[in-house]
Structures are given as structure tokens and as C-alpha cells.
Amino acid sequence: MQGIEGAAVIIPGRLRALVVDDNTYARAICGASLKKLGVTDITEADNGAEAILALMTAPFDFMVMDWYMPDISGAGLMRVLRDIRFGAPSNTPVILMTGYASRDNVALARELGVNEVLVKPFTTTQLGIAVGRVLGQSQQAGGDDAVFL
């Protein structure tokens, strides 16, 4: 499939994605970008507690989440998710999307097990590259991918 902005983005088969963000608009934009990439099975959660419930209910191929959310932040969600007592969902690949990509936030996110970091706003192509990376695909894309930290 030829992706947005001329980059080759290949999303295999039917993937299940969980998008977690307290901002309705951000969830909608992320969901629309995932659909452009071929991901059609998308579940949305507007906070960390809903995300934990969703992860306990059904398996997901990957999760895209915000860092700053009320009730359970991205850091809190990662602490729960990566705890081995959480079971099978603890292996779910995570793409962090944040407008606050300070060195400290990124370092903490990596320490807690986030697989990829996208700085908001990001393009559909950048999201596709991140999805490919967390799913273990080799991605080739034109342009600068310096947005990945």
C-alpha cells in the first residue's frame, strides 16, 4: 500500500488497536490515521482505567496512548501494563503520543516499557512507521523520521 506523503506503509492483515487519550479530538485523529493505514479494528478509551479494562477484556496487537491523562496517567498505565502479574496483555506493544516529549518524560516512558514515542502533532506516515516498528516490520519511508526519540 502506498502511504500518505509517499512513504510505503504496510499494515498486515486485521490488526486490533487500542487508542487511549482523554482528548476526544486526539483519539479521533489517531483513529482516522490508523484507518488510513489499514487498521480497522480500533477500540478507544478516554482514560487509563478504561484502557486497563479494555486490555483485560480482549487482546490488542498494539496500543497508542497519551502521556498526560486524568485518573491514571500514561506512566501509571505503563506500570500496570508491564507488571508480569497483569498477564498476557503485559506484552502489548505501546506507542506513546505526546506533546510533552521532554528528556525526562521520554526517559521515564522508555524505562517503563514504551516501545515508540511520537511527538504530537504527527503525520499518518510517522504513525505507520511507529506501528511497523512495534510490530517488528522493516519500514522504509521517505523523509526525516527524527520525530522518533
Side-chain angles (χ1 to χ4, degrees):
M1 168 162 73
Q2 191 65 12
I4 307 301
E5 298 173 14
V9 180
I10 302 167
I11 304 296
R14 183 169 167 85
L15 295 175
R16 295 198 74 228
L18 176 60
V19 177
V20 187
D21 198 314
D22 60 309
N23 183 296
T24 305
Y25 180 72
R27 282 195 320 270
I29 292 296
C30 185
S33 291
L34 288 171
K35 286 179 184 174
K36 286 180 184 177
L37 294 167
V39 179
T40 57
D41 193 349
I42 302 166
T43 299
E44 294 184 7
D46 68 4
N47 59 56
E50 281 187 19
I52 290 168
L53 181 59
L55 287 160
M56 291 173 58
T57 306
F60 291 91
D61 295 298
F62 65 96
M63 177 172 67
V64 183
M65 70 165 201
D66 190 22
W67 190 244
Y68 288 110
M69 297 181 288
D71 76 347
I72 300 175
S73 67
L77 179 54
M78 288 305 299
R79 285 185 178 97
V80 171
L81 178 66
R82 293 299 189 234
D83 188 315
I84 59 169
R85 295 171 291 182
F86 196 59
S90 66
N91 296 318
T92 304
V94 176
I95 299 168
L96 172 65
M97 56 179 174
T98 183
Y100 304 96
S102 69
R103 285 181 191 247
D104 290 342
N105 282 347
V106 172
L108 178 59
R110 294 284 191 196
E111 181 182 313
L112 293 173
V114 166
N115 302 90
E116 287 290 332
V117 178
L118 284 174
V119 178
K120 291 179 183 176
F122 51 85
T123 66
T124 299
T125 298
Q126 290 164 335
L127 178 59
I129 293 167
V131 170
R133 286 179 179 174
V134 302
L135 296 178
Q137 296 178 16
S138 173
Q139 295 290 315
Q140 301 253 333
D144 181 7
D145 68 343
V147 66
F148 299 103
L149 306 172

